Amino acid sequence: MTTEATTTAAATDPRRQVPRTDTVLADPAVAAAAQRLGRELVKRAVQVAQQRVRDGDVAPEDVAAAVLDGLPGTASSLSPVLNATGVLVHTNLGRAPLSGAAVAAVVAASGTTDVELDLGTGRRGPRGEGALSALLAAVPAAEAALVVNNCAAALALVATAFGGELVIARGELVEIGDGFRIPDLLVSTGARLREVGTTNRVSLADYTDALGPDTGAVLKVHPSNFVVRGFTRSADVAELAPALAGTGVPLVADVGSGLLRPHPLLPDEPDLQTTLAAGADLVLCSGDKLLGGPQAGIVLGSAALVQRLRRHPLYRALRVDKTTLAALEATLRGPVPPVREMLDADLAGLQARAAAVAAALQACGVEAVAVPATARVGGGGAPEFELPSAAVALDPRFAAPLRAGSPPVVGYLEGDRTLLDLRSLLPADDERLTAAVSEVARRWR
């Protein structure tokens, strides 16, 4: 090969045209991204873009732009997702989305805060007093409140602190998602279970006959994700409370979904206020289900029992951080959280939204049609209750590429179509949903 040919080959060799890493990192826009996201994350994006130059997919002069296009919105690997499944509280998608007020509260609390400091005296103060006060205002039947990191933690704390023998109906020894079993959790604390009744029937006498000197508590656990029908019998809190009065045995009710008060759409779903008013000594629930806040385990009820839990050594390992307390307080004091907006959404409004999204997609050349749909509460709440809804129906081929899009859209397949249910989305999400579907369709052209 001649010298001239060798020079020409070298000049056209993609490996020699790849910009140096330090040169790309010095680009002002890339440098600003490194300041925001971290140098190592951005450096990895630079290496990916350099490889694309070698592969001939990116021109050398476009490396900086390719780096910026390939960067995530945050330094976290979690991706914001549009939940079009029709499941309002979807555990795999992080359960309840936070309200704008809660998000703002998290940001404000992310620095140094007065989470455990009395600014007036300069001395140590009660931890998360604002969130606890908000809980008591929302559930007047409660004398005191405690917050731990999830409802399972609340149940574990109760089982550990009260100890001894826990009386519980056989039909309430439930398994929930991912193979998690309530009896396994209770036994792991060292407590002993005294199972009463049968799978389908338990009476008041079954409970009272089981009481003894070693009884630590009587537990009522809401079955959450299933319903037993037919030849059944149960003893509810209103029946149990008078029978336990004077025995010194606390009645603890795990109501699960975190409904603060009765809701007209969910007449069979237990709520915190009613359960306490009926005589429960303590109620436990999740903060990130129908309450609409952050992941948390909430304990409400007797001041003496709550204080007993607070003083137990295990509480220290289970307590929540300042951002959770901030988000919980803002959820309780602020505007209606998204989950409640979705639950209360008017069907006619959902149908109008679905028709508008379908029309916008049709204008972009996408075959889309508004159709009736059925949504659900999710998260173990109201397991048999169906919410009438409206969806946009697409070709089934859309499901996978929508999940891989930006933002990812998670719908569901029904027969020969992909359905995007609008009840699990807020109206403000409709434009992004339309854009995401249109982008997938554009790539196919």
Side-chain angles (χ1 to χ4, degrees), residues 20-66:
R20 290 166 52 91
T21 300
D22 55 356
T23 301
V24 181
L25 289 171
D27 179 275
V30 175
Q35 191 75 11
R36 178 171 58 89
L37 299 173
R39 181 180 173 86
E40 287 306 311
L41 190 154
V42 174
K43 187 176 179 181
R44 287 195 296 271
V46 170
Q47 292 166 346
V48 170
Q50 289 171 325
Q51 186 58 49
R52 293 182 65 192
V53 173
R54 297 184 187 99
D55 295 339
D57 295 335
V58 172
E61 62 271 18
D62 295 332
V63 167

Side-chain angles (χ1 to χ4, degrees), residues 60-290:
E61 62 271 18
D62 295 332
V63 167
V67 170
L68 297 173
D69 287 343
L71 290 174
T74 71
S76 167
S77 62
L78 292 177
S79 298
V81 171
L82 292 180
N83 175 15
T85 64
V87 179
L88 309 191
V89 181
H90 199 304
T91 297
N92 302 137
L93 298 179
R95 293 187 175 169
L98 295 180
S99 66
V103 172
V106 168
V107 173
S110 61
T112 50
T113 71
D114 58 344
V115 64
E116 210 168 328
L117 177 71
D118 184 328
L119 292 174
T121 64
R123 296 176 180 173
R124 186 182 187 127
R127 184 178 181 84
E129 186 174 30
L132 300 181
S133 297
L135 279 168
L136 297 180
V139 186
E143 297 175 354
L146 188 72
V147 183
V148 290
N149 53 30
N150 59 24
C151 194
L155 193 56
L157 180 60
V158 165
T160 305
F162 295 167
E165 199 168 70
L166 303 176
V167 178
I168 185 170
R170 285 188 172 87
E172 296 175 9
L173 294 171
V174 301
E175 176 180 317
I176 56 177
D178 198 29
F180 174 77
R181 295 180 171 181
I182 294 294
D184 292 346
L185 171 69
L186 296 173
V187 170
S188 74
T189 68
R192 302 185 308 278
L193 300 187
R194 178 68 182 272
E195 302 173 21
V196 297
T198 63
T199 301
N200 58 320
R201 291 179 66 84
V202 60
S203 68
L204 177 62
D206 289 325
Y207 284 98
T208 55
D209 290 348
L211 300 181
D214 293 331
T215 304
V218 170
L219 296 183
K220 288 286 294 177
V221 176
H222 182 52
S224 294
N225 53 5
F226 71 95
V227 173
V228 179
R229 296 196 179 280
F231 187 57
T232 63
R233 168 78 165 89
S234 64
D236 61 20
V237 167
E239 188 178 4
L240 280 168
L244 295 178
T247 65
V249 176
L251 175 56
V252 181
D254 178 351
V255 302
S257 69
L259 193 62
L260 294 172
R261 294 170 179 268
H263 192 285
L265 283 179
L266 306 173
D268 297 327
E269 189 70 11
D271 67 275
L272 301 172
Q273 174 67 16
T274 301
T275 305
L276 280 174
D281 295 298
L282 291 176
V283 292
L284 319 178
C285 75
S286 296
D288 54 352
K289 295 182 180 178
L290 286 175

